[in-house]
Amino acid sequence: MSMIHIPVQILSNASEFERYIHDCALSLRHQDGVGDKYQMTVNVAVYEPVSAGTADRLKALAIEGFAVNLIELYRTCGYGEKQNLIWNNYTKKLAVPFEAFITMNPDMVLMPDVVDKLHTTFTTSRSRANIVEARQFPIENPPRAFDAATLEVNWCSGACILLSAAFFERCKGFDEAIYLYCEDVDLSWRAWLDGGQCLYRYDAVVAHMTHGLFEARYNTHSVPTHESCMALSHLILTWKYFSADEALLASKMKLFWDNQGFARHTKEAAFADFETIKPRIQRYTTAHPRIELLDLGLYSGMRPNLI
């Protein structure tokens, strides 16, 4: 019996590449069934120059059933657009066919059973699962409410997800109007509108090296950048999914302006940026019970962290 081919897309800047990429790729190579049940092709795309030494260490991880490709993607664009470029120019052109692929952050170390659990969930769903998400340790991002029996969740965090290749191609990938943050929320909502499911495999655990216990040592992220991108992405989702109903749109915009967690000047700057890109945002008139916007950055009911 031939092996199941699962491509992986990882997007990395230079700092992430030096800090994380070897351990991330090594954890993929050590997944249960690699070289026996699974054949993996890992496409690592960098958009900044990286050291030859770390690149060589990454390439040296290749073994039978585990291929590693280093892609130079020097283009100024958002996360979703970069992932789409990897998909269109490399992953979907792979000679070996596949039904699902993984996109994930470089700052991830997977437990050995993650890929098998994600793919098994995908196959047993009988093509209903468009996205299957792994659980982040030590802090889920964020701890969303999900159905423990069906594994259904309102949206999947893109830190480590397995995607239906057919769905991703059908929906033309990530929305490139979203520069950073919430591209996973948007993709999840389109997965529901497509008639599929978003599932949360809470026992498929990945260590996210810039969260929780690892924060002080590893995280160099800028809070102002985070807030600016989050505010803009929130406005895009608001317009995209709730603008068909004027009263509903007004109520969702009120949530944005009333939110006290983001500075007023940050929201005003985001709104100005939003006005410039609004004409190219696709709007939906179809409602779905899984699509909800409860506050700025809150797209699902919350629950206590599992850990």
Side-chain angles (χ1 to χ4, degrees), residues 183-195:
E183 64 281 319
D184 47 8
V185 178
D186 172 72
L187 190 68
S188 298
W189 287 355
R190 285 189 284 138
W192 286 113
L193 290 173
D194 184 67

Side-chain angles (χ1 to χ4, degrees), residues 42 47 103 134 247:
V42 182
Y47 52 95
T103 67

Side-chain angles (χ1 to χ4, degrees), residues 9-26:
Q9 295 189 179
I10 303 174
L11 183 64
S12 177
N13 62 28
S15 175
E16 292 168 333
F17 191 84
E18 298 302 325
R19 289 183 177 191
Y20 312 122
I21 200 62
H22 183 269
D23 288 348
C24 176
L26 187 62

